[in-house]
Amino acid sequence: MTTKPQGEPVRDELEFRRKSTYITDRITADGFGDWPVEAGRYRLVVARACPWANRAIIVRRLLGLESAISLAACAPTHDSRSWTFGSHAGDVDPVLGYERLQQAYLARFPDYDQGITVPALVDVPSAAVVTNDFAQLTLDFSTQWTGLHRAGAPDLYPEPLRDEMDAVMQRIFNDVNNGVYRCGFAQSQQAYERAYARLFGALDWLSERLATNRYLMGGSITESDVRLFVTLVRFDAVYHGHFKCNRHKLTELPVLWAYCRDLFQTPGFGDTVDFLEAKQHFYLVHAHINPSGVVPNGPDLSNWLTPHGREALGGRPFGDGTAPGPAPAGEAVPPGHGVV
């Protein structure tokens, strides 16, 4: 079954609207369609700089899918053609043999003219992209790849909570994950102010929700926490200044700052975050916002490891499961790119 990209047009030139144009094929346990779950068949292409890709890295790690789905990390910057697999001309991915992620898209759709996005799952035998539908991709890791989960993998998408989770994640996407981009890419004062109000209104709502709950859905981590974390962890380093999301820094929002430090210090979260590449990506790629190309040195990252006190709210991070082990060889954040 071949599913071409689906999407909707941009409707307002002054207000940023993310084009929801993705390849919506799914890899399923029952093999419906062309893409069955199969260990070693697919390669997850990411960029550590990208929050949407970071959440795929985290979910893959928490579920222990590293041996089932290989990982290819792109360089932090890209040009109009696409992400590259190395920092130097001629660098290629050792598995796919490509210099650019664009080649995997064109191998599937020779006339592909949409965005070349990460994360993307690529079929290794054909070296062609399967899907870049980032929202469904991680949910399928939880629901379709269960036969290949590690022993002790947490349930990140508990069936009894899905209706409420979906609603929470939708607001997080609209007003926080995408909300920071709405602020940064607004083309008028009015569009910016609307986005700013939505973003900080949502952060206030999340602060209230998390004041008495350790995690968004109660006593253990779910995918909703992963989705919120990847934006919060980049907030002070990127969005506060670069995207003008400056009512408060994360460090000035007591509940969210403690919550995010709690997650950051949990195996599988903070040890996947590459602050250096995140700053390089946003400050270098968005030349219309930062024409000088200067990448800031700050902020100080040492406070990410300070006590957060969230244990007092109870709960168990992984529910009945266990923490993941260290990152596989070659997948750890490079020295000097993270907190430690």
Side-chain angles (χ1 to χ4, degrees):
M1 178 177 66
T2 298
T3 305
K4 290 188 175 181
Q6 303 295 314
E8 60 182 32
V10 175
R11 295 184 295 273
D12 185 344
E13 292 182 358
L14 298 180
E15 180 176 317
F16 172 74
R17 295 181 185 272
R18 184 173 299 278
K19 292 183 180 180
S20 54
T21 307
Y22 302 103
I23 302 167
T24 57
D25 283 20
R26 295 177 61 193
I27 298 168
T28 58
D30 61 11
F32 178 75
D34 297 331
W35 313 111
V37 166
E38 183 180 331
R41 177 170 175 177
Y42 306 99
R43 189 157 176 80
L44 177 63
V45 180
V46 300
R48 292 190 182 95
C50 171
W52 317 100
N54 192 184
R55 80 191 203 189
I57 297 171
I58 293 170
V59 171
R60 170 180 172 270
R61 174 88 174 282
L62 296 180
L63 298 177
L65 289 171
E66 296 100 321
S67 61
I69 305 170
S70 64
L71 187 75
C74 296
T77 60
H78 60 75
D79 58 23
S80 59
R81 289 178 60 194
S82 81
W83 299 88
T84 61
F85 284 104
S87 301
H88 306 286
D91 287 346
V92 300
D93 178 71
V95 174
L96 300 175
Y98 291 152
E99 294 182 38
R100 294 174 175 272
L101 178 56
Q102 180 189 48
Q103 293 168 271
Y105 281 72
L106 295 178
R108 178 84 185 279
F109 302 109
D111 58 349
Y112 192 82
D113 61 357
Q114 304 298 322
I116 309 297
T117 63
V118 290
L121 276 170
V122 177
D123 176 51
V124 173
S126 64
V129 69
V130 174
T131 181
N132 64 341
D133 187 357
F134 65 91
Q136 188 62 48
L137 184 152
T138 48
L139 295 180
D140 283 347
F141 281 175
S142 285
T143 61
Q144 302 299 313
W145 290 78
T146 53
L148 294 169
H149 287 182
R150 66 178 175 88
D155 185 354
L156 297 178
Y157 195 43
E159 193 161 1
L161 301 178
R162 288 181 187 176
D163 287 345
E164 183 184 1
M165 266 188 73
D166 289 345
V168 168
M169 292 192 298
Q170 189 62 50
R171 184 168 185 189
I172 290 171
F173 171 77
N174 288 336
D175 296 347
V176 181
N177 300 146
N178 202 38
V180 293
Y181 290 86
R182 290 179 189 272
C183 290
F185 293 155
Q187 295 298 302
S188 73
Q189 187 68 32
Q190 292 77 13
Y192 165 71
E193 290 178 3
R194 287 194 298 270
Y196 179 97
R198 287 181 63 177
L199 168 63
F200 284 99
L203 293 179
D204 290 341
W205 167 70
L206 289 162
S207 290
E208 292 178 10
R209 184 181 183 96
L210 289 164
T212 54
N213 293 293
R214 187 170 179 184
Y215 305 108
L216 282 168
M217 301 308 300
S220 61
I221 291 164
T222 63
E223 169 137 351
S224 61
D225 298 293
V226 178
R227 295 188 180 198
L228 179 57
F229 171 80
V230 295
T231 296
L232 293 184
V233 78
R234 289 165 171 76
F235 203 89
D236 289 4
V238 176
Y239 306 134
H240 179 270
H242 185 58
F243 279 171
K244 308 179 191 70
C245 302
N246 60 356
R247 192 193 78 179
H248 292 96
K249 296 178 181 176
L250 178 66
T251 54
E252 297 166 346
L253 298 170
V255 171
L256 292 180
W257 172 227
Y259 162 80
C260 201
R261 293 203 317 282
D262 187 5
L263 290 175
F264 188 89
Q265 295 169 30
T266 300
F269 282 84
D271 52 13
T272 71
V273 177
D274 192 316
F275 284 104
L276 178 61
E277 290 198 358
K279 290 190 297 183
Q280 289 174 336
H281 171 74
F282 284 93
Y283 282 95
L284 293 175
V285 170
H286 302 153
H288 62 295
I289 297 176
N290 185 42
S292 70
V294 173
V295 179
N297 287 336
D300 179 14
L301 301 176
S302 61
N303 52 4
W304 279 103
L305 300 181
T306 57
H308 50 75
R310 298 282 292 179
E311 305 93 335
L313 295 174
R316 293 174 295 165
F318 300 103
D320 294 330
T322 58
E331 292 189 11
V333 173
H337 287 216
V339 171
V340 293

